[in-house]
Amino acid sequence: MTTTFAPLERLEPALSVRQVLTLERVLAGEPEVVAGAGQLDRPVRWVHVAEASDVGVMLTGGEMVLTTGVLLAGDEEKQAEYIRSLHRAEAAAVVLGLGRAFPAPPDVMRRAAERCGLPLVVLHRPFPFAELTEEVQSRLVRRKFAAVSLSEAVRTALTGLITAGAPLQRLLDEVAAHSACPVVVTNLAHRVLATAGERSAVDDVLRDWERIARQAGHTEGDGWIRAELGGRGERWGQIVLCGHRGDTATGRLLADRAAEALVLHRMLGGSSAHTWEEQSAQSLLTDLLSGVVPARQLLPRARAAGLPVNRRTFVPLVVRESEPGQLDRVLRMLGMSGLVAELADRATAVLLSLPRDQEAQTLTGHFAARLRSETGPPGAVVAAAEPRTAWDDVPAGLREAQHVADAVADHSAALDLPAVVRLKDVHLRGLIRLLRDDPHVQAFAERELDGLLCAADEDLLAVLRTYLATGRNKSRTAQLHHVSRPALYRRLEAIQARMGVDLDDFEQAASVHIALLAHDAQQG
């Protein structure tokens, strides 16, 4: 993949005709716009003093032409053709000094300029053209130098971040700092993959993102400036500066440099646009799960990420023993809407968004069944919270699903679990998980298991864990540990001897079971 840098000629910020007319030296000539007033925002690339009647053939576009019209006086056909030739050459404007050849604005030139949409400006007081050319040229040179300096500064900063292995968000934060406006990265469907900038300003942009993005996609007005993301002839997204307040050329420079950096970041990281979608979902679900940011403030981000949120039922899930890519595929196969984000400890959060007229419990069951068929035995563990119809309740639901998943972590093979595990299915294990940080519970676990823990025999501890989790089912325990029943009996006898307990006694077995659950919860 090659990265193409935009030529500096394109990046050269120009003064507009309107800006030139506000210069102090120009105001001394008492300028008056007599035609083409609607085109005063045209960029002025250069200033050219010319008296030749065929000056149009000498221009390359973007020039502001200064003339006294001395060779045009008395010939209306030459006057009209002079304006037409400037229009064909794409001149920015023509400035006519009154007095020497024309005491007043010539009607023929004014009408021709109005028809062509070419700004025609007359100067009512004698004005040394050399002063205007000197002023404008020096400003253009300074602005060009500033553009080159900014281009290099942005490129250096972003390249340094990429070399240091900075994440995507850090690059976007740097772009937002230079542009002083919200920055949004989207895929080709206008789904938001990442944002940067002042949080309140970003939220304002995302509040009605899809409509705004599609509307702004046809123009760079109001500071909405885009640069395409892609390589090898394939587009896969775009970066948008939202409401850039500087001139358009500078905004395009920033957007182009940012796009180059993002393409390079993707290339060096071996990532893809889909990975950015995963990062976007992970950021959103992590913020929801933590509760640091109120759910109401995260709603625009969810909507912009493509999650349906109006009149929906949300089902928070935490899935173990499954890759995010598998979960994405199952969602697509079933035609379900949802976000997927990888968490710690081999867990993945999934937020399903279902139509309210559909049975959430049934659809969640379909999802779990299809996922288990994809992952194969022993299959993924799908922990679910109760469905939520209010967005504000989603964070609590995600925490409930995570609690359920944690309660059965690492023991799902020994437990007889339904396809979708809910809070009511984890019973005592769930309660112990909640109490694991209580000092009294910790002391109880250490005291009960002391004889076995001191021996540091992980094999015996694993056998005890399975034996109690299966309801003291010796056949099942032997099967899961791939040992004969006599071998299992010997291990159970060793466990009882070291701990000084009788596992056939229900109360003693229950006490040991609670202690082991507390120990495992604390270790987790």
Side-chain angles (χ1 to χ4, degrees):
M1 183 184 297
T2 59
T3 302
T4 303
F5 292 94
L8 288 179
E9 288 74 16
R10 178 193 164 192
L11 303 173
E12 188 178 314
L15 291 166
S16 67
V17 176
R18 190 187 308 277
Q19 289 172 316
V20 171
L21 297 181
T22 61
L23 298 178
E24 187 175 349
R25 292 187 181 184
V26 179
L27 291 174
E30 297 181 6
E32 178 189 1
V33 180
V34 297
Q39 301 296 321
L40 295 183
D41 291 320
R42 284 181 172 183
V44 176
R45 189 181 59 81
W46 207 242
V47 177
H48 191 70
V49 180
E51 297 295 351
S53 59
D54 59 348
V55 66
V57 299
M58 307 178 212
L59 306 180
T60 58
E63 295 90 350
M64 174 179 277
V65 178
L66 311 180
T67 183
T68 62
V70 66
L71 300 180
L72 303 175
D75 190 332
E76 293 187 347
E77 179 55 36
K78 276 189 177 181
Q79 295 170 21
E81 177 56 27
Y82 181 81
I83 295 296
R84 289 193 292 267
S85 70
L86 291 179
H87 171 64
R88 288 193 296 270
E90 297 183 348
V94 58
V95 177
L96 176 64
L98 299 180
R100 185 174 179 187
F102 296 99
D107 286 339
V108 172
M109 294 180 70
R110 182 183 58 76
R111 288 195 298 270
E114 197 65 59
R115 283 194 297 271
C116 294
L118 176 69
L120 173 60
V121 182
V122 297
L123 301 174
H124 289 280
R125 293 177 62 86
F127 185 87
F129 285 167
E131 291 187 7
L132 176 57
T133 57
E134 178 185 4
E135 176 78 9
V136 174
Q137 314 304 40
S138 64
R139 285 175 179 264
L140 288 174
V141 169
R142 289 198 301 271
R143 291 166 73 89
K144 179 176 181 178
F145 178 76
V148 174
S149 298
L150 176 61
S151 172
E152 289 308 309
V154 172
R155 179 184 292 163
T156 300
L158 295 178
T159 302
L161 290 173
I162 293 172
T163 303
L168 170 65
Q169 188 61 52
R170 182 66 188 87
L171 268 66
L172 295 181
D173 290 340
E174 185 73 17
V175 175
H178 281 285
S179 62
C181 68
V183 176
V184 177
V185 176
T186 76
N187 62 15
L188 296 182
H190 301 286
R191 299 282 174 83
V192 174
L193 306 181
T195 63
E198 184 182 348
R199 191 72 261 164
S200 59
V202 171
D203 288 344
D204 287 342
V205 168
L206 296 184
R207 198 155 280 122
D208 194 15
W209 169 254
E210 187 166 348
R211 182 187 63 80
I212 294 175
R214 294 184 186 279
Q215 181 176 322
H218 303 290
T219 177
E220 285 194 348
D222 298 326
W224 283 70
I225 300 172
R226 292 159 306 284
E228 300 296 335
L229 301 174
R232 297 176 180 172
E234 180 184 5
R235 292 170 55 238
W236 42 265
Q238 64 177 354
I239 182 170
V240 187
L241 306 186
C242 308
H244 177 65
R245 296 186 180 278
D247 59 69
T248 302
T250 301
R252 282 200 299 264
L253 178 153
L254 289 168
D256 286 342
R257 292 299 174 256
E260 293 163 5
L262 296 190
V263 171
L264 185 60
H265 182 272
R266 175 188 179 189
M267 177 180 67
L268 294 180
S271 59
S272 64
H274 181 70
T275 300
W276 287 2
E277 291 178 350
E278 289 178 349
Q279 292 177 6
S280 173
Q282 184 172 28
S283 173
L284 175 59
L285 290 184
T286 300
D287 285 346
L288 280 169
L289 191 58
S290 69
V292 174
V293 182
R296 183 61 54 183
Q297 293 183 21
L298 298 173
L299 188 58
R301 284 172 58 188
R303 185 181 288 112
L307 184 73
V309 295
N310 295 330
R311 296 189 58 78
R312 307 289 287 190
T313 297
F314 303 102
V315 182
L317 308 175
V318 171
V319 182
R320 289 191 175 275
E321 309 306 330
S322 180
E323 296 296 326
Q326 289 178 314
L327 297 168
D328 271 328
R329 284 195 300 274
V330 171
L331 285 176
R332 288 194 297 270
M333 283 190 292
L334 296 177
M336 290 182 174
S337 298
L339 296 177
V340 177
E342 189 172 8
L343 304 175
D345 300 327
R346 295 175 292 130
T348 304
V350 182
L351 180 59
L352 300 179
S353 175
L354 308 174
R356 286 194 183 174
D357 59 354
Q358 297 183 7
E359 177 52 49
Q361 305 278 22
T362 302
L363 290 179
T364 305
H366 289 333
F367 173 81
R370 177 59 66 91
L371 180 61
R372 286 202 168 187
S373 69
E374 286 281 308
T375 56
V381 177
V382 179
E386 292 303 311
R388 264 68 174 171
T389 56
W391 175 257
D392 288 344
D393 294 336
V394 168
L398 284 168
R399 289 190 287 272
E400 179 183 317
Q402 187 176 46
H403 167 66
V404 173
D406 288 345
V408 297
D410 302 322
H411 308 298
S412 57
L415 301 175
D416 185 17
L417 298 174
V420 179
V421 187
R422 294 186 169 83
L423 194 59
K424 65 182 180 61
D425 300 313
V426 296
H427 306 295
L428 180 61
R429 189 178 298 271
L431 176 63
I432 296 300
R433 191 81 183 184
L434 288 175
L435 299 176
R436 64 178 177 176
D437 294 327
D438 187 295
H440 298 292
V441 174
Q442 294 172 4
F444 168 76
E446 291 294 317
R447 185 171 60 251
E448 288 289 302
L449 301 175
D450 180 60
L452 197 58
L453 295 178
C454 288
D457 192 329
E458 289 297 326
D459 182 58
L460 291 181
L461 194 64
V463 169
L464 175 63
R465 183 180 292 113
T466 304
Y467 179 62
L468 296 174
T470 57
R472 297 184 293 174
N473 186 320
K474 294 183 176 67
S475 297
R476 177 65 173 155
T477 303
Q479 179 184 18
L480 290 172
H481 284 271
H482 308 290
V483 297
S484 65
R485 286 180 65 103
L488 176 65
Y489 294 156
R490 287 193 295 272
R491 294 184 188 185
L492 290 176
E493 288 171 359
I495 291 170
Q496 294 180 100
R498 291 184 182 182
M499 297 183 65
V501 298
D502 179 6
L503 293 180
D504 290 329
D505 181 85
F506 175 79
E507 186 172 335
Q508 293 185 54
S511 182
V512 172
H513 192 191
I514 292 172
L516 187 56
L517 290 176
H519 170 76
D520 289 346
Q522 184 62 34
Q523 295 303 308

